[in-house]
Amino acid sequence: MDYNSTRKPGSETLASASSSSDSDTGGASPPPRKKHRASAAEGAGEPGASAVLTGLSGVVLGRGAHSQATSAIHFNRSVVNNLSSSMQANGAGQGQESSELSCLNSAQNGESSSVGGTHSNGLLSSTDNGNNVGTSNGSSVGPCTGTSAASTASSSEVGSLKKKKRLTQAEEDVIRLIGQHLHGLGLNQTVDLLMQESGCRLEHPSATKFRNHVMEGEWDKVSICLQWLNNRTYSGQHGICEREILLQKNQSILGRMKFLLLQQKYLEYLEDGKVLEALQVLRGELTPLKYNTDRIHVLSGYLMCSHAEDLRAKAEWEGKGTASRCRLLDKLQTYLPPSVMLPPRRLHTLLRQAVELQRDRCLYHNTKLDNNLDSVSLLLDHVCSRLQFPCYTQQILTEHCNEVWFCKFSNDGTKLATGSKDTTVIIWQVDPETHQLKLLRTLEGHAYGVSYLAWSPDDTYLIACGPDDCSELWLWNVQTGELRTKMSQSHEDSLTSVAWNPDGKRFVTGGQRGQFYQCDLDGNLLDSWEGVRVQCLWCLNDGRIVLASDTHQRIRGYNFEDLTDRNIVQEDHPIMSFTVSKNGRLALLNVATQGVHLWDLQDRVLVRKYQGVTQGFYTIHSCFGGHNEDFIASGSEDHKVYIWHRRGELPIAELTGHTRTVNCVSWNPAIPSLMASASDDGTVRIWGPAPFLESQEADGHMDS
C-alpha cells in the first residue's frame, strides 16, 4: 500500500518540508522554500495550514550555516506574524488555527519538547554547538551534523523528567523515617515537600486524625478512629483459622488501647474536679473492659485525692496536657503497625541501636556507655584504640622479697592489697589522678605466707589466709593497721579460702581438710558444715547462699539458714579457683589442665571456654574487669597475662613482662583502665593505657 495515499489533507505539505530538510546539506536553493511559504499563506484557512507552518518553522530554524541563524530567526518571526494576521483576516478555521498556533508557540502539542530557554516569540529552543535547533511535536529538524544526537538527548531528558523513579520499600521506609524526624524538629513544610516530591505518605490520614484527637483530648473521636485503625490493621484475606487468631489478637490489642485512653480520660476528669464524670468513666467504661482489674482498683483509690497535686504524685502522672498525652501516644503507637503509624522517634532509636552495636563489637571499648547520641559522632564508626587499653606496664612494685601469691583491689578501687610467701601483706594507695601506687602500710606475722585475701564490703577490714598447711586466719583493720582477730578452730584445720557475707558482719571460711565455718568479726563460730573439702568460696548477693568448689570437681550452693545444698556446676577436672560477677549471674573458673571457663549460674550451663592460657595444677586466680565487666583477665604458667573480651574465646591481648608464673590478676573496679598482676618472680605489675608520647613503645609490650 502506498503510504502517502492514506495521508490526510495537508500532511503532504509537512512531509515534503521534512523531506526537504532531511536531504538538505546546507546548500538547498531558495525558490522551493518560497513556494512552500506561499502555499502556506494561501491555505491559511485550510486544515493543513498548521502543519505547513510547523514544517516551515523547522526548515527556517534548521539552516545549517551559523552566520545565517540570526536572520533565519527574524525571518521566521515575520512569517509567523504574517500568517497569524492572514488567518485572523480570513476568519476561516480561526479557532482551530489559533489553537494550533498557540500549541506551536508553547511547544506543548502533545508533549514537552524543549530543554532550552524561551525566546520572545514564544518558541522554545535549545542550542547545539551554536546552532539553534527548533522542535515540533518532539521531532528535531536542523542541520545533518549534531541534529540526531541533540534530538536523542532532548527526548531522554524529557522522559526522565516525566517518569519518576519507582522507590523500593527500603527507600520509602527511609523517607518516612526522615520525615518523622524532621516533623519532630518542627520542620513541617520540609516534610510536606519531601512527601509530595517522593510520592510517599508519612502515615495514614486516619492515623493523623487519631494523633490529633489524642493531643486535643477529644476522647469520643479517638474511639471512632481507634476502631477504624484496628479494623484496617487486621483486615485482609486470610484463612478461617488465621482470621480467628487475628480477630482475637485484634480484640486483645483494642482492649489494651482503650484502657490506656480511658485511664487518661479518667485522670484528667479527676484533675479538673469532675468527680462524677470520672466515676462514670470508671464504672461505665473502664470496668466493663475486664482488663487489668488490679489497676482499676488502684485507679478507684485516686477518687480520695483531695487536690490535683496529690493526684499527680500518687498516680506518678504529669497531669493534663501535652506531656502526659505525648507519653500516652507513644504507648498507643506500639500497638499499631508501622504501615499505619511509625513507632515514636524511630530514626533516633535505630541510630542509638547502631551506636550500641558498634560499641558491643568494639574489642577495646572500656568506657562508660552513654546512650545520648549527642556524645558520639554519627559520621564515623566507633573505634577504640588498643593503646587506651590496660596493656602497658605503668609501674612495677618490688617491695615483696619472695613470690607474690595474691593481689586484690579494694571495692572502691582506692587501695591494692598484695600477699606474698614472705609472710607479709602490703597495702598500696592508688592516686586517683596519676593512678600511681605508693606503699601505705605493711601487715606482718603470717607465718605460712599469704595465699588469699578478701576485702570487707565497706573496705574497712581485710582477711588474710595461708596455704594448705595454715590453720589460722587474720582479720585486719585496714584503716588503723591493727589485727582485730586471729582465728584458729583447730591445729588440724586448713583455712585457705574466705568470703564475706554482703552484710559485712559475717564471713565463711574453709579448706581441703573438711572444714567449712561461718563466723562473726570476732572469730566466733556461728555455723559449720562438716565433711566439705573446700577449694574456693563465694557469697552470693542474697546473703543466704554460699558457693563452694570442692574436691569433687563441682561447685555447690549451701544455705546456712535451712541447711540445704544443691549442685550448680559440674566440671570434668579439678576447679582450682573461681570468682563471680557483680550481678551474681556468671562464674569464672580456672580449671586444672583446661584453662578458663565461663559458666551461667542461673541456667547452669557452660557458656565459653577461653583459649590461650596455660593452666596446670597451680592455683591461678582470674577476674572479671573493665567497664560493665566486659573483659576477663587471667594469669598463666607461661609467664603472661591474658585478656579476653567476654564474648570471644580468643585473647585480645597477651601481656608480657613477668619472668615466672603469674598467680593472680585483679582489675580495678573503679578505674577500668587499671589492672594489677602478681607473679612468682616477686613483683606486682600495674597495667594501664600507653602514655601518649610513648604510644609506639607500647606496641612492643603487647601482642594481640
Side-chain angles (χ1 to χ4, degrees):
M1 179 184 292
D2 186 2
Y3 180 78
N4 292 329
S5 63
T6 62
R7 295 182 180 177
K8 294 181 181 180
S11 62
E12 278 187 310
T13 309
L14 176 60
S16 62
S18 300
S19 175
S20 171
S21 174
D22 291 340
S23 61
D24 185 18
T25 58
S29 58
R33 299 173 184 269
K34 294 180 180 179
K35 184 175 182 180
H36 286 305
R37 294 191 195 103
S39 63
E42 292 173 359
E46 299 177 359
S50 176
V52 174
L53 179 60
T54 304
L56 181 61
S57 300
V59 172
V60 172
L61 291 178
R63 298 179 64 87
H66 176 65
S67 60
Q68 297 178 353
T70 305
S71 62
I73 293 174
H74 287 295
F75 182 71
N76 178 45
R77 190 176 301 167
S78 64
V79 171
V80 172
N81 292 334
N82 290 336
L83 289 176
S84 185
S85 301
S86 176
M87 285 186 288
Q88 291 178 359
N90 292 336
Q94 180 177 357
Q96 179 182 357
E97 298 299 337
S98 60
S99 174
E100 292 181 359
L101 182 60
S102 175
C103 290
L104 170 67
N105 291 337
S106 62
Q108 294 178 350
N109 188 9
E111 64 182 81
S112 176
S113 59
S114 172
V115 198
T118 304
H119 293 278
S120 59
N121 62 358
L123 295 175
L124 300 177
S125 68
S126 61
T127 303
D128 182 23
N129 297 329
N131 299 324
N132 290 331
V133 183
T135 60
S136 175
N137 296 330
S139 301
S140 178
V141 183
C144 293
T145 306
T147 303
S148 177
S151 175
T152 303
S154 176
S155 300
S156 63
E157 194 164 350
V158 169
S160 64
L161 291 175
K162 294 188 67 176
K163 296 180 180 179
K164 289 185 178 180
K165 176 186 175 183
R166 185 176 182 84
L167 299 176
T168 64
Q169 184 61 48
E171 290 171 336
E172 290 184 6
D173 292 345
V174 171
I175 290 174
R176 292 182 65 200
L177 291 174
I178 294 174
Q180 184 194 44
H181 184 70
L182 294 176
H183 178 74
L185 297 177
L187 304 177
N188 297 325
Q189 293 182 355
T190 305
V191 175
D192 294 340
L193 182 60
L194 175 63
M195 295 301 144
Q196 179 182 358
E197 187 171 357
S198 64
C200 298
R201 186 169 62 185
L202 184 59
E203 59 185 14
H204 196 277
S206 295
T208 304
K209 292 181 181 179
F210 177 74
R211 181 194 305 276
N212 294 336
H213 293 331
V214 171
M215 295 306 297
E216 294 297 329
E218 299 171 339
W219 307 117
D220 295 336
K221 295 181 180 179
V222 168
S223 298
I224 298 175
C225 286
L226 178 62
Q227 186 65 50
W228 189 93
L229 287 174
N230 275 269
N231 292 339
R232 183 183 185 279
T233 299
Y234 297 99
S235 62
Q237 296 180 354
H238 303 281
I240 297 177
C241 294
E242 189 174 357
R243 277 202 302 268
E244 291 179 355
I245 294 174
L246 288 175
L247 181 62
Q248 294 175 0
K249 182 178 181 182
N250 180 21
Q251 294 302 322
S252 175
I253 291 178
L254 185 61
R256 296 176 190 176
M257 296 179 72
K258 282 185 177 180
F259 186 88
L260 292 173
L261 288 167
L262 293 174
Q263 178 180 248
Q264 178 78 11
K265 180 180 178 181
Y266 169 77
L267 292 174
E268 289 190 7
Y269 275 152
L270 283 181
E271 186 181 40
D272 292 339
K274 301 178 181 180
V275 180
L276 293 179
E277 289 85 345
L279 187 59
Q280 178 61 34
V281 172
L282 184 65
R283 290 179 177 178
E285 298 183 67
L286 275 170
T287 303
L289 290 177
K290 297 180 180 180
Y291 175 80
N292 200 348
T293 54
D294 292 338
R295 179 61 179 169
I296 291 179
H297 293 158
V298 174
L299 291 175
S300 62
Y302 298 154
L303 289 168
M304 306 303 296
C305 294
S306 57
H307 47 78
E309 291 78 6
D310 187 26
L311 171 66
R312 289 192 290 267
K314 289 184 177 180
E316 297 180 356
W317 180 58
E318 297 89 341
K320 178 180 179 180
T322 303
S324 63
R325 290 173 181 174
C326 282
R327 178 170 294 186
L328 170 64
L329 196 59
D330 289 347
K331 294 179 180 178
L332 295 173
Q333 282 181 267
T334 60
Y335 296 106
L336 294 174
S339 59
V340 175
M341 182 181 288
L342 287 174
R345 295 176 293 278
R346 182 58 182 164
L347 181 60
H348 185 275
T349 300
L350 291 174
L351 292 175
R352 189 181 69 250
Q353 290 174 352
V355 171
E356 292 176 356
L357 180 61
Q358 289 189 15
R359 286 172 172 169
D360 290 342
R361 292 182 176 179
C362 180
L363 291 179
Y364 300 103
H365 186 78
N366 192 28
T367 56
K368 183 179 180 181
L369 295 177
D370 190 351
N371 292 329
N372 187 3
L373 291 180
D374 294 335
S375 63
V376 299
S377 173
L378 299 178
L379 306 180
L380 297 172
D381 287 343
H382 176 85
V383 177
C384 290
S385 172
R386 67 181 185 180
L387 300 179
Q388 302 170 348
F389 208 65
C391 298
Y392 183 82
T393 301
Q394 288 190 339
Q395 196 174 358
I396 302 177
L397 309 178
T398 59
E399 276 71 8
H400 285 292
C401 56
N402 209 326
E403 298 174 358
V404 184
W405 288 340
F406 200 86
C407 63
K408 185 70 173 179
F409 279 104
S410 59
N411 297 296
D412 60 7
T414 61
K415 299 177 180 66
L416 174 69
T418 57
S420 172
K421 187 179 179 179
D422 64 6
T423 72
T424 65
V425 173
I426 299 180
I427 308 298
W428 309 85
Q429 185 72 44
V430 179
D431 189 290
E433 295 186 5
T434 64
H435 299 170
Q436 292 290 304
L437 278 69
K438 63 178 181 180
L439 194 151
L440 182 62
R441 60 174 46 91
T442 301
L443 308 177
E444 301 177 342
H446 311 86
Y448 298 91
V450 179
S451 62
Y452 195 87
L453 297 166
W455 291 88
S456 64
D458 61 358
D459 295 327
T460 301
Y461 300 104
L462 180 71
I463 296 178
C465 298
D468 292 341
D469 296 333
C470 181
S471 61
E472 297 176 327
L473 176 148
W474 292 263
L475 193 155
W476 296 90
N477 187 319
V478 179
Q479 296 177 352
T480 63
E482 297 177 353
L483 178 64
R484 171 163 179 169
T485 303
K486 181 179 180 181
M487 172 188 147
S488 178
Q489 295 294 327
S490 170
H491 293 291
E492 297 180 355
D493 287 348
S494 174
L495 304 181
T496 58
S497 185
V498 66
W500 284 90
N501 190 285
D503 61 12
K505 300 177 180 179
R506 297 169 292 165
F507 62 87
V508 291
T509 184
Q512 292 190 3
R513 296 181 181 176
Q515 297 79 34
F516 190 9
Y517 306 132
Q518 181 172 219
C519 308
D520 61 15
L521 295 181
D522 295 323
N524 299 318
L525 185 62
L526 302 178
D527 295 292
S528 65
W529 210 293
E530 300 295 333
V532 181
R533 299 181 180 273
V534 174
Q535 178 70 27
C536 192
L537 293 168
W538 192 274
C539 286
L540 293 182
N541 296 331
D542 60 9
R544 298 184 300 107
I545 304 298
V546 177
L547 301 182
S549 61
D550 55 31
T551 54
H552 297 285
Q553 305 166 5
R554 64 187 181 183
I555 295 178
R556 293 180 64 83
Y558 297 88
N559 190 324
F560 276 93
E561 294 181 0
D562 56 15
L563 299 180
T564 60
D565 62 317
R566 60 192 178 97
N567 203 43
I568 297 179
V569 171
Q570 182 67 59
E571 282 279 1
D572 296 329
H573 298 81
I575 301 173
M576 306 307 296
S577 68
F578 76 93
T579 186
V580 178
S581 60
K582 291 180 180 179
N583 59 12
R585 178 69 183 265
L586 301 174
L588 193 63
L589 285 61
N590 283 77
V591 184
T593 71
Q594 301 299 302
V596 181
H597 292 179
L598 182 67
W599 280 78
D600 188 314
L601 297 178
Q602 181 173 324
D603 296 336
R604 304 184 191 181
V605 295
L606 176 64
V607 177
R608 194 161 289 111
K609 296 181 179 181
Y610 297 101
Q611 303 177 16
V613 67
T614 302
Q615 171 82 59
F617 288 90
Y618 285 99
T619 299
I620 295 178
H621 300 272
S622 56
C623 68
F624 292 96
H627 199 276
N628 201 34
E629 293 190 328
D630 285 333
F631 303 97
I632 288 170
S634 177
S636 176
E637 294 181 17
D638 62 2
H639 315 162
K640 296 179 181 179
V641 175
Y642 288 83
I643 301 177
W644 300 268
H645 197 285
R646 199 170 67 188
R647 288 185 295 274
E649 295 181 354
L650 297 177
I652 63 173
E654 300 176 12
L655 313 187
T656 60
H658 286 293
T659 58
R660 294 183 63 186
T661 297
V662 180
N663 299 308
C664 184
V665 179
S666 179
W667 211 305
N668 193 301
I671 307 174
S673 60
L674 197 63
M675 187 173 63
S677 60
S679 172
D680 283 346
D681 62 10
T683 67
V684 176
R685 284 184 175 257
I686 307 301
W687 306 89
F692 178 74
L693 296 178
E694 300 177 9
S695 60
Q696 292 183 351
E697 296 180 13
D699 285 338
H701 287 263
M702 66 170 290
D703 299 317
S704 64

